[in-house]
Amino acid sequence: MSLAALTVHQALRQARAQGVERLDTQLLLCAALQQSRTWLLAHDTDPLSPEQQARFEGWLERRVAGEPLAYILGDKEFFGLTLSVSPDVLIPRPDTETLVDWALSLIPDSHPDRPFTVLDLGTGSGAIALAIQHQRPQAQVSAVDASEAALRVAQANARQLNLPVRFHHGSWLAPVAGQRFDLIVSNPPYIAEGDPHLAALGHEPRQALTAGPDGLDDLRAIILAAPTHLNPGGWLLLEHGYDQSVAVSQLLRDSAFANVSTRFDLGGQPRCTGGCFQT
Ligand code: GLN
């Protein structure tokens, strides 16, 4: 790439000419210059230093090659929190805020006698658990992941945000054997192996994305195991693929859940289904 000194304006134009979206080019340049987007607007003709330009062009090359912006910058906003992310974790999606909204509607600000207990399965970056803990400081939030590398990312986020989520390593409910919760939430892998959408998700951890030939293997495992880990009247809320709400609703009904319903994401797709555990 050229190393002739670029101005802010030229750097943005160069990135756009390579097909990078406007917002992404601005965010990459802000990070390279350690300035805000407002600053960029007012400093159109400022030249980049050689170090800033080299950093920007390196990142641009990665973005043009298809690497998600969140991995290049190392963070992602979710439910008003800035979370560190690495290729060891799925990048939190705005659609998953639907699940958090639903969870929050079920968690009282305070709970008589004892804390309200929440468990997040397959926490990844910790996004769901940390968003819930941030919004409901009185709740006792636990989170599980099968990947130690993912748990390191989640724990670093919890430390950075000063949120007291308890983390456990292991497969789904195995690490919390013998414990019951008032609410279990999960955004598990739910894409079918061989789904053409996977081509666009090649930078994200495959183990966080796929779950068997129909994408339902992990949802089935969680739904089957959840009743022995819920207090009577406790809720299980699950994110799933746009075409899985009927199957997930049926699995929940077959596994002692009542009041089964589905919520829609920002794009209008059925994205989360949940039910209440009846003894
Ligand atoms: N919602 C993600 C996607 O389709 C997948 C997340 C998941 O498998 N849990 O891009």
PDB file of all heavy atoms in Angstrom, residues 90 93 187-191 201 208-209 239, ligand 1:
ATOM      1  N   LEU A  90     -17.715 -15.570  19.890  1.00  0.00           N
ATOM      2  CA  LEU A  90     -18.658 -15.019  18.921  1.00  0.00           C
ATOM      3  C   LEU A  90     -18.790 -13.511  19.179  1.00  0.00           C
ATOM      4  O   LEU A  90     -18.776 -13.086  20.337  1.00  0.00           O
ATOM      5  CB  LEU A  90     -20.014 -15.694  19.162  1.00  0.00           C
ATOM      6  CG  LEU A  90     -21.089 -15.511  18.121  1.00  0.00           C
ATOM      7  CD1 LEU A  90     -20.820 -16.461  16.952  1.00  0.00           C
ATOM      8  CD2 LEU A  90     -22.457 -15.831  18.706  1.00  0.00           C
ATOM      9  N   ARG A  93     -24.285  -9.941  18.955  1.00  0.00           N
ATOM     10  CA  ARG A  93     -25.149  -9.370  17.910  1.00  0.00           C
ATOM     11  C   ARG A  93     -26.248  -8.521  18.549  1.00  0.00           C
ATOM     12  O   ARG A  93     -26.779  -8.891  19.615  1.00  0.00           O
ATOM     13  CB  ARG A  93     -25.867 -10.487  17.132  1.00  0.00           C
ATOM     14  CG  ARG A  93     -25.003 -11.605  16.619  1.00  0.00           C
ATOM     15  CD  ARG A  93     -24.196 -11.148  15.425  1.00  0.00           C
ATOM     16  NE  ARG A  93     -23.803 -12.246  14.567  1.00  0.00           N
ATOM     17  CZ  ARG A  93     -22.646 -12.909  14.645  1.00  0.00           C
ATOM     18  NH1 ARG A  93     -21.768 -12.643  15.587  1.00  0.00           N
ATOM     19  NH2 ARG A  93     -22.371 -13.871  13.766  1.00  0.00           N
ATOM     20  N   ASN A 187     -27.688 -18.290  24.380  1.00  0.00           N
ATOM     21  CA  ASN A 187     -27.584 -18.125  22.928  1.00  0.00           C
ATOM     22  C   ASN A 187     -26.584 -19.193  22.480  1.00  0.00           C
ATOM     23  O   ASN A 187     -25.406 -18.914  22.309  1.00  0.00           O
ATOM     24  CB  ASN A 187     -27.078 -16.723  22.584  1.00  0.00           C
ATOM     25  CG  ASN A 187     -26.767 -16.580  21.100  1.00  0.00           C
ATOM     26  OD1 ASN A 187     -27.245 -17.370  20.281  1.00  0.00           O
ATOM     27  ND2 ASN A 187     -25.954 -15.596  20.756  1.00  0.00           N
ATOM     28  N   PRO A 188     -27.065 -20.426  22.304  1.00  0.00           N
ATOM     29  CA  PRO A 188     -26.149 -21.526  21.984  1.00  0.00           C
ATOM     30  C   PRO A 188     -25.844 -21.550  20.489  1.00  0.00           C
ATOM     31  O   PRO A 188     -26.457 -20.808  19.724  1.00  0.00           O
ATOM     32  CB  PRO A 188     -26.975 -22.756  22.370  1.00  0.00           C
ATOM     33  CG  PRO A 188     -28.373 -22.361  22.038  1.00  0.00           C
ATOM     34  CD  PRO A 188     -28.465 -20.876  22.334  1.00  0.00           C
ATOM     35  N   PRO A 189     -24.916 -22.405  20.048  1.00  0.00           N
ATOM     36  CA  PRO A 189     -24.753 -22.590  18.602  1.00  0.00           C
ATOM     37  C   PRO A 189     -26.064 -23.158  18.049  1.00  0.00           C
ATOM     38  O   PRO A 189     -26.644 -24.053  18.666  1.00  0.00           O
ATOM     39  CB  PRO A 189     -23.648 -23.646  18.490  1.00  0.00           C
ATOM     40  CG  PRO A 189     -23.034 -23.738  19.845  1.00  0.00           C
ATOM     41  CD  PRO A 189     -24.063 -23.293  20.828  1.00  0.00           C
ATOM     42  N   TYR A 190     -26.526 -22.633  16.896  1.00  0.00           N
ATOM     43  CA  TYR A 190     -27.785 -23.163  16.362  1.00  0.00           C
ATOM     44  C   TYR A 190     -27.812 -23.222  14.838  1.00  0.00           C
ATOM     45  O   TYR A 190     -28.871 -23.408  14.232  1.00  0.00           O
ATOM     46  CB  TYR A 190     -28.985 -22.384  16.897  1.00  0.00           C
ATOM     47  CG  TYR A 190     -28.946 -20.880  16.723  1.00  0.00           C
ATOM     48  CD1 TYR A 190     -29.027 -20.290  15.473  1.00  0.00           C
ATOM     49  CD2 TYR A 190     -28.878 -20.039  17.834  1.00  0.00           C
ATOM     50  CE1 TYR A 190     -29.019 -18.914  15.317  1.00  0.00           C
ATOM     51  CE2 TYR A 190     -28.871 -18.652  17.706  1.00  0.00           C
ATOM     52  CZ  TYR A 190     -28.936 -18.101  16.436  1.00  0.00           C
ATOM     53  OH  TYR A 190     -28.942 -16.730  16.291  1.00  0.00           O
ATOM     54  N   ILE A 191     -26.664 -23.064  14.208  1.00  0.00           N
ATOM     55  CA  ILE A 191     -26.636 -23.132  12.741  1.00  0.00           C
ATOM     56  C   ILE A 191     -26.370 -24.581  12.328  1.00  0.00           C
ATOM     57  O   ILE A 191     -25.564 -25.271  12.963  1.00  0.00           O
ATOM     58  CB  ILE A 191     -25.564 -22.172  12.185  1.00  0.00           C
ATOM     59  CG1 ILE A 191     -25.889 -20.732  12.631  1.00  0.00           C
ATOM     60  CG2 ILE A 191     -25.496 -22.267  10.661  1.00  0.00           C
ATOM     61  CD1 ILE A 191     -24.888 -19.693  12.183  1.00  0.00           C
ATOM     62  N   LEU A 201     -19.239 -16.368   8.050  1.00  0.00           N
ATOM     63  CA  LEU A 201     -18.916 -16.321   9.482  1.00  0.00           C
ATOM     64  C   LEU A 201     -17.586 -17.024   9.769  1.00  0.00           C
ATOM     65  O   LEU A 201     -17.331 -17.460  10.884  1.00  0.00           O
ATOM     66  CB  LEU A 201     -20.050 -16.990  10.285  1.00  0.00           C
ATOM     67  CG  LEU A 201     -21.449 -16.401  10.069  1.00  0.00           C
ATOM     68  CD1 LEU A 201     -22.518 -17.247  10.764  1.00  0.00           C
ATOM     69  CD2 LEU A 201     -21.514 -14.964  10.570  1.00  0.00           C
ATOM     70  N   ALA A 208     -18.899 -22.180  18.323  1.00  0.00           N
ATOM     71  CA  ALA A 208     -19.938 -21.295  18.864  1.00  0.00           C
ATOM     72  C   ALA A 208     -21.097 -21.134  17.891  1.00  0.00           C
ATOM     73  O   ALA A 208     -22.085 -20.468  18.198  1.00  0.00           O
ATOM     74  CB  ALA A 208     -19.337 -19.929  19.181  1.00  0.00           C
ATOM     75  N   LEU A 209     -20.976 -21.723  16.704  1.00  0.00           N
ATOM     76  CA  LEU A 209     -21.967 -21.482  15.654  1.00  0.00           C
ATOM     77  C   LEU A 209     -22.796 -22.706  15.290  1.00  0.00           C
ATOM     78  O   LEU A 209     -24.010 -22.603  15.118  1.00  0.00           O
ATOM     79  CB  LEU A 209     -21.250 -20.990  14.379  1.00  0.00           C
ATOM     80  CG  LEU A 209     -20.656 -19.584  14.449  1.00  0.00           C
ATOM     81  CD1 LEU A 209     -19.721 -19.345  13.261  1.00  0.00           C
ATOM     82  CD2 LEU A 209     -21.753 -18.528  14.460  1.00  0.00           C
ATOM     83  N   GLU A 239     -32.139 -18.258  22.542  1.00  0.00           N
ATOM     84  CA  GLU A 239     -32.045 -17.700  21.189  1.00  0.00           C
ATOM     85  C   GLU A 239     -31.932 -18.858  20.204  1.00  0.00           C
ATOM     86  O   GLU A 239     -31.393 -19.924  20.542  1.00  0.00           O
ATOM     87  CB  GLU A 239     -30.818 -16.784  21.067  1.00  0.00           C
ATOM     88  CG  GLU A 239     -30.703 -16.186  19.667  1.00  0.00           C
ATOM     89  CD  GLU A 239     -29.660 -15.090  19.527  1.00  0.00           C
ATOM     90  OE1 GLU A 239     -29.437 -14.332  20.497  1.00  0.00           O
ATOM     91  OE2 GLU A 239     -29.073 -14.996  18.433  1.00  0.00           O
TER      92      GLU A 239
HETATM   93  N1  GLN B   1     -26.926 -15.162  15.208  1.00  0.00           N
HETATM   94  C1  GLN B   1     -25.678 -15.649  14.698  1.00  0.00           C
HETATM   95  C2  GLN B   1     -25.676 -15.562  13.184  1.00  0.00           C
HETATM   96  O1  GLN B   1     -26.507 -16.155  12.548  1.00  0.00           O
HETATM   97  C3  GLN B   1     -25.402 -17.055  15.126  1.00  0.00           C
HETATM   98  C4  GLN B   1     -25.278 -17.164  16.597  1.00  0.00           C
HETATM   99  C5  GLN B   1     -25.421 -18.547  17.107  1.00  0.00           C
HETATM  100  O2  GLN B   1     -25.230 -19.565  16.431  1.00  0.00           O
HETATM  101  N2  GLN B   1     -25.749 -18.604  18.340  1.00  0.00           N
HETATM  102  O3  GLN B   1     -24.860 -14.854  12.650  1.00  0.00           O
END
